[in-house]
Amino acid sequence: MPSRRTTAGDIERYAGLFARRTHGMTSSAMRDLMAVTNRPEVISLAGGLPDTSTFPPELFSSLMSKVGATSSAQALQYGPTEGLPEARDCIVQVMAAEGMHVEADDLLVTTGGQQVIDLVARTLIDPGDVVIAEAPTYPGAVPVFASFQADVVQIELDADGLRVDLMESTLDRLQTEGRRPKFIYTVPSFQNPAGVTLSLERRQALVRIAKERQLIVLEDNPYGLLRYEGDAQPTLFALDGGEYVTYLGTFSKILSPGLRLGWCAAPRPVLERLNAANAAADLCSAPLAQYFVGAYFREHDWRSYVRTLSEVYRRRRDTMLDALAEHLPREASWTHPQGGLFIWATLPDYIDTTDLLARALRENVAFVPGRAAFLDGRGGSSMRLNFSGVGEDEIREGVARIGKVVREQVALYSTLTGAVPADPTARHARTAEPDAPGATVHEFRARRAGDR
Amino acid sequence: MPSRRTTAGDIERYAGLFARRTHGMTSSAMRDLMAVTNRPEVISLAGGLPDTSTFPPELFSSLMSKVGATSSAQALQYGPTEGLPEARDCIVQVMAAEGMHVEADDLLVTTGGQQVIDLVARTLIDPGDVVIAEAPTYPGAVPVFASFQADVVQIELDADGLRVDLMESTLDRLQTEGRRPKFIYTVPSFQNPAGVTLSLERRQALVRIAKERQLIVLEDNPYGLLRYEGDAQPTLFALDGGEYVTYLGTFSKILSPGLRLGWCAAPRPVLERLNAANAAADLCSAPLAQYFVGAYFREHDWRSYVRTLSEVYRRRRDTMLDALAEHLPREASWTHPQGGLFIWATLPDYIDTTDLLARALRENVAFVPGRAAFLDGRGGSSMRLNFSGVGEDEIREGVARIGKVVREQVALYSTLTGAVPADPTARHARTAEPDAPGATVHEFRARRAGDR
């Protein structure tokens, strides 16, 4: 980030040059936050970082030595936009491990999973087109949807994931209003940020709706293999057979995000457009990283590393759940994820987590304020907590620090209002209903062309 | 690329879902071409590939071993969107080698130089906004401009680069028409595809115009350090002091494109928007590759490798110039690049190089047809020839094969029309004027919102 802050004069000089799509981009607060959380004294529960220190450095070195010895010139060269055969063959294996059967030609290798969201939005969204997302949704998708000027309709989650029962009435209403949704964006397993998992019945219902209404579903599944309890669920892609479901996968959470390698599997006509957009965006994804993945899958049992990660993260999840029970006041509630990286906690509605973050940072702890997961400013009393990126001691200490600033706010509120704490049975709720449970469908209408 | 071709039924099913911006995307012909040129028996003069076999494989392995030993966890982790300090420090050195003095905070690390073009277009272009580009322009920029629905106004080149003398009248005309150009896109040194270099006088004039009219110039300079004769020219960024010039650099041509690492230096208000767009596009560029670059710059004299490359490419350029003189008919002309990777050849106007390519591929040789460098279908009798990607013997053989199919077309034309060959003095022209020299400013107006 530039150290010299922009002056008003600078802004004025260039103001007229920026495209309308940039007006809705709201990522700078998150980026400023990330800059703060990089300070070594801060315990960050904000990021979605895997623990890459669990990957053996000597394995990294030996794999790269082999890539150098056998494929230096190719690893350093441009590659095909759709990805190298070596990498696509590995992806076929990863998808098979979750019950999906694809050929290499069904796949497009991308620069991380993030690029899939970007390419899908870019390929499908005209300003004002509707995207259906979860409430809350992945905070990193919010600036993508905003930058393509989408109208995002967010449908509530509960402990069983997206409220698919609300989908049909929402689609009917949109149709009445003459608004056609272009795609449904969902993270069905261990959702980011809520941690909840879509039930089998809802998965089947969602796929049926997509087929009946000829709607594309973008299934974002970075964590599906990181399950710590309960039975695996079939992916939407597996249930649908790849007809209406476009699948987003990534090596970021099962190997490394520093490679920047993700992929999508999609119906062929969609894949061809995504591939053309991919070429325009960055020509191809790094062959260097693709050769590393190829060598890793040849030389090593990739599933054993996923098992290692799952064991580490399961313990950290349990540690965080225990710490939340110990340190958050009874008015708070939080989700119990069966896998993935995140817990979603909701505080009494008089606490604003964006304000709370400023206090928390003074205590050297960070989280993602809930508003980052909505396009309409909602989520103000919730927060996303990550348990994969730091060790168990830091999780305990980080949650204790958050507990301290939360309890201060609760005490302040009680003093000011004379209020009594809420019903203790709300404590340790298995699933926090995202705030304001009465309102189940949230809308955000991006700026239209004329709104400059 | 998908092996199962899309059927009419498939296309119809999804047709209504695609965004308008995808309608102007024309990259699939180029991608199909690239697929063909990957056949081992084809001599491809089509790509813009550096010769990565010149990079010592044992250096690759030893650098990566060091990265593994010292920074495995960080190299495998997410990094900051703006890039790691290690990589930005290297970029500061590369820019200093061309007389540009920047701080790390003036820089944004990107996924190759291509991503800079994409981010700039995305940040500045609303549908119908004007981009000024060279005629011909970099073929890889064409689908970017098309995908953001830009109106591209292409201004002619000659032996001294962009005809800056035509710039003021073009800008005046656009102003009269109420059309404000958002930026000027140019490759001033060893232009892609024409190989020509902007003279000092024109550089000064272009920077003056940008300042007077408060216009952003996107200076794309992948090859500036690859000069084989003549004196270095200051970059536009150096002349302007970084006020209106946004600079695009890349490690692709001085180290490796397989890393997918480029960068931009820009005025701070522009840089901040580009950084936000970068976060939405792919979160960050690969830390793995950034650590590799950092180790390489620490352990190795990066400028000595650039000297090695320059020596190899200078010989290949000379070989190609000799081969063109030997094998192309006297009616053809071509440029004489002082550096970079490309020669632009123009054939008699009755030869269509897109048709010619099909014949050339039957002779197992490939080039880029000139139309790929225009947005309006012009350039039909020109071709881009790359001399960096294959050895001297293959260059000789490849040009001989092209010469064969060209001479067949000339002979056919002579037979059909009884025409006599053109003035022999046209042969070996130092600079080919791009075709139809009477028309100096070409326009392409992308589909407007209502043109579905």
Side-chain angles (χ1 to χ4, degrees):
Chain A
M1 201 110 36
S3 59
R4 197 199 69 153
R5 302 308 297 172
T6 304
T7 66
D10 288 338
I11 291 172
E12 194 178 352
R13 186 198 291 171
Y14 299 99
L17 286 174
F18 295 115
R20 282 186 288 275
R21 74 175 62 79
T22 67
H23 301 177
M25 296 184 68
T26 53
S27 68
S28 65
M30 282 289 284
R31 285 184 298 116
D32 289 346
L33 168 64
M34 290 301 283
V36 172
T37 62
N38 281 339
R39 295 198 327 248
E41 65 273 23
V42 172
I43 295 176
S44 179
L45 308 176
L49 275 56
D51 189 341
T52 53
S53 74
T54 58
F55 193 87
E58 58 282 5
L59 178 58
F60 175 105
S61 293
S62 84
L63 291 171
M64 278 302 194
S65 291
K66 279 182 188 132
V67 171
T70 60
S71 318
S72 170
Q74 299 94 308
L76 294 173
Q77 190 55 276
Y78 289 107
T81 301
E82 65 272 18
L84 287 161
E86 288 82 350
R88 297 204 283 172
D89 289 347
C90 301
I91 293 166
V92 168
Q93 293 177 52
V94 174
M95 290 184 70
E98 285 197 84
M100 294 172 280
H101 303 290
V102 296
E103 296 168 28
D105 282 346
D106 297 317
L107 300 170
L108 178 62
V109 178
T110 60
T111 306
Q114 181 76 21
Q115 192 179 40
V116 177
I117 304 173
D118 191 68
L119 294 178
V120 168
R122 175 178 182 141
T123 303
L124 297 180
I125 298 301
D126 284 315
D129 281 348
V130 172
V131 173
I132 295 181
E134 289 148 339
T137 190
Y138 164 49
V142 169
V144 181
F145 297 150
S147 76
F148 289 104
Q149 297 163 276
D151 282 359
V152 180
V153 177
Q154 290 186 268
I155 297 182
E156 207 76 30
L157 296 167
D158 64 18
D160 290 325
L162 181 66
R163 292 274 307 270
V164 177
D165 58 311
L166 300 172
M167 184 69 76
E168 301 233 40
S169 59
T170 303
L171 292 172
D172 287 341
R173 178 174 59 77
L174 291 169
Q175 190 164 25
T176 307
E177 296 168 4
R179 297 155 68 195
R180 185 185 181 192
K182 286 297 187 71
F183 66 93
I184 298 167
Y185 172 71
T186 176
V187 185
S189 293
F190 325 127
Q191 203 250 4
N192 183 352
V196 298
T197 294
L198 194 64
S199 68
L200 178 61
E201 294 68 28
R202 291 191 188 176
R203 286 173 194 248
Q204 288 164 334
L206 183 54
V207 164
R208 179 182 50 74
I209 290 170
K211 194 167 297 227
E212 282 172 7
R213 307 219 179 203
Q214 302 209 344
L215 259 175
I216 288 176
V217 176
L218 176 54
E219 176 177 30
D220 185 354
N221 187 33
Y223 327 109
L225 289 165
L226 297 170
R227 174 177 279 280
Y228 320 133
E229 66 180 56
D231 297 328
Q233 296 296 337
T235 64
L236 302 174
F237 186 87
L239 290 172
D240 162 75
E243 199 173 4
Y244 288 99
V245 176
T246 290
Y247 183 85
L248 182 170
T250 176
F251 288 107
S252 292
K253 305 307 187 297
I254 59 169
L255 173 56
S256 154
L259 307 171
R260 307 309 303 124
L261 286 184
W263 68 86
C264 75
R268 300 272 168 110
V270 176
L271 201 67
E272 290 185 7
R273 301 273 180 136
L274 294 174
N275 199 26
N278 199 19
D282 63 7
L283 297 180
C284 64
S285 299
L288 176 75
Q290 294 181 63
Y291 274 97
F292 178 80
V293 169
Y296 173 68
F297 271 62
R298 262 196 316 277
E299 307 273 333
H300 194 81
D301 176 9
W302 68 273
R303 299 184 68 152
S304 86
Y305 182 55
V306 174
R307 283 192 295 272
T308 301
L309 285 175
S310 297
E311 195 47 42
V312 171
Y313 296 162
R314 187 189 58 71
R315 285 197 302 269
R316 293 183 183 177
R317 178 203 62 170
D318 292 345
T319 299
M320 183 171 275
L321 288 170
D322 288 348
L324 289 168
E326 183 177 346
H327 295 291
L328 284 203
R330 65 184 64 200
E331 297 88 343
S333 61
W334 52 89
T335 57
H336 178 104
Q338 297 187 313
L341 313 185
F342 303 110
I343 290 172
W344 179 256
T346 299
L347 304 176
D349 60 9
Y350 56 81
I351 295 184
D352 182 300
T353 52
T354 308
D355 296 341
L356 191 76
L357 178 60
R359 294 170 187 277
L361 285 170
R362 285 201 291 272
E363 301 289 333
N364 288 326
V365 64
F367 53 80
V368 173
R371 281 209 186 85
F374 292 82
L375 285 99
D376 61 358
R378 299 178 58 88
S381 64
S382 296
M383 61 172 70
R384 189 190 76 176
L385 297 168
N386 168 269
F387 55 80
S388 61
V390 299
E392 293 175 50
D393 288 346
E394 283 175 292
I395 288 172
R396 270 187 284 268
E397 176 61 25
V399 172
R401 292 179 191 174
I402 291 172
K404 175 169 178 277
V405 292
V406 170
R407 285 194 309 275
E408 285 168 4
Q409 292 299 298
V410 172
L412 183 65
Y413 180 81
S414 301
T415 306
L416 291 174
T417 63
V420 286
D423 178 5
T425 60
R427 192 173 176 188
H428 306 171
R430 188 173 164 81
T431 296
E433 298 291 326
D435 58 342
T440 47
V441 180
H442 309 312
E443 293 212 18
F444 167 82
R445 195 163 301 186
R447 285 184 180 83
R448 296 280 191 160
D451 286 354
R452 234 186 229 268
Chain B
M1 203 111 36
S3 60
R4 196 200 68 153
R5 304 307 299 174
T6 304
T7 65
D10 288 338
I11 291 172
E12 195 180 351
R13 185 198 293 170
Y14 299 100
L17 286 174
F18 295 116
R20 283 185 288 275
R21 73 176 62 81
T22 66
H23 301 178
M25 296 185 68
T26 54
S27 68
S28 65
M30 283 288 284
R31 285 184 298 116
D32 289 346
L33 169 63
M34 291 299 284
V36 172
T37 63
N38 281 337
R39 295 198 326 248
E41 64 273 24
V42 172
I43 295 176
S44 178
L45 309 175
L49 275 55
D51 189 342
T52 52
S53 74
T54 59
F55 192 88
E58 58 282 6
L59 178 58
F60 175 105
S61 292
S62 84
L63 291 171
M64 278 300 193
S65 291
K66 278 180 188 133
V67 172
T70 61
S71 317
S72 170
Q74 300 95 310
L76 294 175
Q77 190 54 279
Y78 288 106
T81 300
E82 63 273 18
L84 288 161
E86 289 80 350
R88 296 203 284 174
D89 288 347
C90 301
I91 293 166
V92 168
Q93 294 178 51
V94 174
M95 290 185 70
E98 287 198 82
M100 294 172 280
H101 304 290
V102 296
E103 296 168 27
D105 282 345
D106 297 317
L107 299 170
L108 177 63
V109 178
T110 59
T111 306
Q114 181 75 22
Q115 193 179 42
V116 178
I117 304 174
D118 192 68
L119 294 178
V120 169
R122 176 177 181 140
T123 303
L124 297 180
I125 299 301
D126 283 314
D129 280 350
V130 173
V131 174
I132 295 181
E134 292 148 338
T137 190
Y138 163 49
V142 168
V144 181
F145 297 151
S147 76
F148 288 104
Q149 298 163 275
D151 283 356
V152 180
V153 177
Q154 289 185 269
I155 297 182
E156 206 77 28
L157 297 166
D158 64 18
D160 291 325
L162 180 65
R163 290 273 311 271
V164 177
D165 59 311
L166 300 173
M167 184 70 75
E168 301 235 38
S169 58
T170 302
L171 291 172
D172 287 341
R173 178 173 59 78
L174 290 170
Q175 191 164 25
T176 307
E177 296 168 3
R179 297 156 68 197
R180 184 184 182 193
K182 286 296 186 72
F183 67 94
I184 298 168
Y185 172 71
T186 176
V187 185
S189 293
F190 325 126
Q191 201 249 4
N192 182 353
V196 298
T197 294
L198 195 65
S199 68
L200 178 60
E201 294 69 26
R202 291 190 187 178
R203 285 173 194 249
Q204 289 164 334
L206 183 55
V207 164
R208 180 182 50 74
I209 290 170
K211 193 166 299 225
E212 282 172 7
R213 306 218 179 205
Q214 302 209 345
L215 258 175
I216 288 178
V217 176
L218 176 55
E219 176 177 32
D220 185 355
N221 187 33
Y223 327 110
L225 290 165
L226 297 170
R227 175 176 278 280
Y228 319 133
E229 66 180 58
D231 297 329
Q233 297 295 338
T235 63
L236 302 173
F237 186 88
L239 291 172
D240 163 75
E243 199 173 3
Y244 289 99
V245 176
T246 290
Y247 183 84
L248 181 171
T250 176
F251 288 108
S252 292
K253 305 308 188 296
I254 60 170
L255 173 55
S256 153
L259 306 172
R260 307 311 300 125
L261 285 184
W263 67 87
C264 77
R268 300 274 167 110
V270 177
L271 201 67
E272 290 185 7
R273 300 271 182 139
L274 293 175
N275 200 25
N278 199 20
D282 63 7
L283 297 179
C284 65
S285 298
L288 176 76
Q290 295 182 62
Y291 275 97
F292 178 80
V293 168
Y296 173 69
F297 272 62
R298 262 196 316 278
E299 305 274 334
H300 193 81
D301 176 9
W302 67 274
R303 299 184 68 151
S304 86
Y305 182 55
V306 173
R307 284 192 294 273
T308 302
L309 284 175
S310 296
E311 195 46 44
V312 170
Y313 295 163
R314 187 189 58 69
R315 285 198 302 271
R316 292 182 183 179
R317 176 203 63 169
D318 292 345
T319 299
M320 184 173 273
L321 288 170
D322 289 347
L324 289 167
E326 184 178 344
H327 295 292
L328 284 203
R330 66 184 61 199
E331 296 88 343
S333 61
W334 52 89
T335 57
H336 179 104
Q338 297 188 313
L341 313 186
F342 303 110
I343 291 173
W344 179 255
T346 299
L347 304 176
D349 61 10
Y350 57 81
I351 295 183
D352 183 297
T353 52
T354 307
D355 295 342
L356 192 77
L357 178 59
R359 293 170 188 278
L361 286 171
R362 285 201 291 272
E363 301 289 333
N364 287 326
V365 64
F367 54 80
V368 172
R371 281 209 186 86
F374 293 82
L375 285 98
D376 61 357
R378 298 178 58 88
S381 63
S382 295
M383 62 173 71
R384 188 190 77 176
L385 297 167
N386 167 267
F387 55 79
S388 62
V390 298
E392 293 175 50
D393 288 347
E394 282 175 294
I395 288 173
R396 270 186 286 269
E397 176 60 26
V399 172
R401 292 179 191 174
I402 291 172
K404 176 170 177 280
V405 293
V406 170
R407 285 195 310 276
E408 284 169 3
Q409 292 299 296
V410 172
L412 182 66
Y413 181 79
S414 301
T415 306
L416 291 173
T417 64
V420 287
D423 177 5
T425 60
R427 191 174 177 186
H428 307 172
R430 190 175 161 79
T431 295
E433 298 292 326
D435 61 342
T440 49
V441 180
H442 310 313
E443 294 210 18
F444 167 84
R445 195 163 300 184
R447 284 185 180 80
R448 297 281 192 160
D451 286 356
R452 228 185 234 268

